[in-house]
Amino acid sequence: MNYKSTKHRLSGTIIVPGSKSHTIRALLLAALADGVSNIKNPLPSADCLSAAHAIKAFGAKVDIGCPVDEKGIPQGTPAETWVVTGAGKNAHLPDCQIDVGNSGSTLYFFTPVAATFSGKSSFTGDESICKRPVNHLLDALRQLGAEASTDRVGVDAPPFSVTGLIKAGSVTTDGRLSQYISGLMMASLLIDGELDINLTDPKEVPYLTMTQLWLKNVGVDVDISLDYKKIKTHGKKAIKAFDTIIPSDWEGVAFPLMAAILSGSDIVIDGIDTTGSQGDDAIVEILKSLGADLMIEKLSETSGRLIVNGSKSQNLSTKRGNFKDDILRVNIAGFPDAVCALAALSCFVDGTVILEDTEVCRKKETDRIKVMVEELSKLGGKLVDGLTLSKDNPLFGDQLIIYGNKNALHGGTVESYDDHRVAMSLACFGLALENDSVTVKDGECCSVSFPGFFEKMNELGAGFSELEGYVL
């Protein structure tokens, strides 16, 4: 389905769905727990449904409130509370190949857990997943005693097989992708003895803290050094079932936030996570440094609302802050999923924004640096992939440079590459264009992390329209 975006003013209140990162961690830990866990406000996205389906292979049961088919696809509307009957001490080697769909988190989390059992397990996924790198994960598992190899010789991507069991000990890996490190941390529940994880180049570190907090909540202590280079887990641990409420997803908050700012609109984003456990909340301070009028109102220990005064935030500029050479530099490694929203929004900034340390952004559903340069350039944006400059000047390298100039921007037709964050950022881009429009191809991929994105945004007045059967 293609979607058309035009200039619109937004108003009202929106509640962003629950966090994908929290939901998948909750599902995995509930699957390993003894007893029945209730997960309230889970994100009913394609990725989380893939995780819900995958835990059954380990002996757990899950009730999402409606029937599902043999692939775990709902045949109705999922409930607001998912009930997981954990496998506990009866957890076992997956009894079938695990198809993770489009979920990288499910792939990287569940593989180390499968490797804690004696025997062979195999993993695959959709076309996008079968391009995702896995050698860093497989190498870490080999260091702990597993046998692991990809099914296609010389191809660093799924399908792959792992034969366990892994044992306690020490593993050294770069850790630039955090997901498989979180997977090792959660797998330690099933490993006798201490596991020492040594990271040479840790990135996405807020997600490691998130995993540490989840493990702490179920009674497991994990030590992480201040520089995140050393992680120690402590022995085998039986955990009990739990009830939890999944906080809203800051990765999803970024899109109505940028939409309000670009369209000059005043909205409220309710139910936001104020615990600090999601690194993507950094986007608030970044935008405030450019002149955005934003305020977080905390309503409880864990939640609040984000008040977005977009009508006072339309003249974003690097000249407002104390930035050297009027250039805003943002190290994106800790919250790489914000790169699409920040790249699109920065095209409207008066000045230059440089998103640094972007390597991990290239290993998501797409190479998001390359894709955002290509697609935003079609809309008049001036962006440079630092890797294209690094051969001549090593000072550049892994970064995305955006030269903001809103007067040069215009409409056009752009590709989503079936990447949900690319699609949402480009759709929101079109809300700022006077007398022009942006058509986003295959926008339905937004359901991966934000089910009902276009419908929820239209409730605010975004005016997104479907172009079914549209011939380009």
Side-chain angles (χ1 to χ4, degrees):
M1 184 74 70
N2 304 317
Y3 287 84
K4 184 177 181 181
S5 174
T6 57
K7 177 72 174 179
H8 277 78
R9 184 67 62 87
L10 313 180
S11 64
T13 298
I14 185 173
I15 298 177
V16 173
S19 162
K20 179 179 75 169
S21 300
H22 279 292
T23 299
I24 297 179
R25 283 167 173 81
L27 285 166
L28 178 52
L29 292 175
L32 299 178
D34 181 27
V36 177
S37 298
N38 294 284
I39 302 173
K40 298 180 180 180
N41 194 41
L43 175 65
S45 71
D47 279 11
C48 297
L49 291 166
S50 292
H53 186 59
I55 66 175
K56 298 177 183 178
F58 292 89
K61 298 178 181 179
V62 59
D63 179 1
I64 67 168
C66 68
V68 298
D69 65 14
E70 66 279 0
K71 294 184 178 180
I73 298 174
Q75 305 301 296
T77 302
E80 295 182 359
T81 298
W82 293 358
V83 181
V84 178
T85 303
K89 63 180 181 298
N90 296 317
H92 55 71
L93 183 77
D95 48 16
C96 60
Q97 183 183 53
I98 294 182
D99 185 338
V100 303
N102 188 248
S103 178
S105 294
T106 301
L107 179 75
Y108 294 126
F109 288 179
F110 285 49
T111 301
V113 174
T116 65
F117 300 101
S118 180
K120 184 177 181 179
S121 56
S122 61
F123 290 79
T124 190
D126 67 6
E127 182 180 359
S128 174
I129 281 292
C130 287
K131 297 176 183 178
R132 300 281 285 269
V134 294
N135 278 341
H136 53 294
L137 163 64
L138 303 186
D139 175 70
L141 296 176
R142 291 188 199 104
Q143 292 182 51
L144 296 173
E147 297 178 10
S149 62
T150 58
D151 292 2
R152 295 173 290 171
V153 177
V155 178
D156 177 19
F160 63 80
S161 298
V162 176
T163 302
L165 62 139
I166 57 175
K167 298 180 179 180
S170 178
V171 58
T172 299
T173 183
D174 61 56
R176 283 174 286 183
L177 283 174
S178 69
Q179 291 165 316
Y180 72 105
I181 306 304
S182 287
L184 288 170
M185 292 165 67
M186 289 185 281
S188 70
L189 290 168
L190 304 175
I191 299 174
D192 276 320
E194 293 186 342
L195 180 62
D196 290 304
I197 306 172
N198 302 294
L199 306 182
T200 59
D201 188 20
K203 307 292 184 184
E204 302 183 305
V205 294
Y207 295 105
L208 300 180
T209 299
M210 181 188 293
T211 303
Q212 181 189 33
L213 292 173
W214 266 104
L215 288 170
K216 181 180 179 180
N217 288 339
V218 296
V220 179
D221 288 329
V222 176
D223 302 323
I224 301 181
S225 63
L226 292 176
D227 60 4
Y228 288 88
K229 290 188 175 182
K230 293 187 180 297
I231 301 172
K232 182 186 287 290
T233 67
H234 303 281
K236 197 168 185 177
K237 177 76 173 182
I239 61 174
K240 295 181 179 180
F242 54 86
D243 292 343
T244 189
I245 300 175
I246 301 299
S248 289
D249 190 358
W250 268 103
E251 296 165 3
V253 166
F255 299 104
L257 169 56
M258 72 169 284
I261 290 175
L262 293 183
S263 62
S265 305
D266 297 338
I267 67 169
V268 174
I269 305 175
D270 213 347
I272 64 166
D273 179 7
T274 59
T275 65
S277 64
Q278 300 183 52
D280 289 72
D281 58 5
I283 194 172
V284 171
E285 292 305 317
I286 293 169
L287 297 181
K288 286 172 70 174
S289 73
L290 292 169
D293 190 330
L294 308 172
M295 183 180 72
I296 292 178
E297 181 180 348
K298 194 165 184 176
L299 301 178
S300 71
E301 288 298 317
T302 60
S303 68
R305 59 169 63 103
L306 176 61
I307 300 171
V308 186
N309 296 312
S311 59
K312 301 178 181 178
S313 307
Q314 289 186 284
N315 297 309
L316 302 184
S317 174
T318 59
K319 300 175 179 62
R320 291 176 178 273
N322 186 24
F323 306 127
K324 184 177 180 181
D325 300 322
D326 289 334
I327 297 174
L328 170 60
R329 297 178 180 272
V330 178
N331 188 305
I332 201 77
F335 48 105
D337 285 330
V339 72
C340 298
L342 284 174
L345 189 144
S346 295
C347 291
F348 294 85
V349 171
D350 178 17
T352 300
V353 177
I354 301 179
L355 305 179
E356 300 178 319
D357 211 352
T358 59
E359 180 183 6
V360 71
C361 304
R362 302 177 187 276
K363 299 176 180 178
K364 299 292 185 176
E365 284 80 345
T366 58
D367 177 342
R368 287 176 173 162
I369 304 305
K370 179 183 178 190
V371 164
M372 294 308 291
V373 170
E374 290 179 353
E375 300 310 306
L376 290 172
S377 295
K378 294 177 182 178
L379 304 176
K382 184 178 180 182
L383 303 91
V384 177
D385 182 341
L387 287 185
T388 65
L389 304 175
S390 59
K391 294 180 181 179
D392 301 319
N393 189 338
L395 294 178
F396 286 99
D398 220 341
Q399 59 185 216
L400 174 60
I401 307 165
I402 307 106
Y403 300 98
N405 181 6
K406 62 183 179 182
N407 294 325
L409 303 177
H410 54 75
T413 298
V414 289
E415 303 281 348
S416 69
Y417 297 87
D418 286 326
D419 187 326
H420 49 123
R421 304 203 194 282
V422 172
M424 288 186 282
S425 63
L426 295 173
C428 292
F429 185 102
L431 296 174
L433 299 180
E434 297 284 354
N435 304 314
D436 214 337
S437 65
V438 172
T439 297
V440 182
K441 297 173 68 176
D442 302 317
E444 67 274 9
C445 61
C446 296
S447 65
V448 166
S449 63
F450 201 140
F453 169 73
F454 292 105
E455 293 81 4
K456 284 180 177 289
M457 291 297 294
N458 281 350
E459 290 174 5
L460 295 177
F464 294 133
S465 57
E466 295 182 5
L467 299 175
E468 188 172 6
Y470 184 74
V471 180
L472 301 176

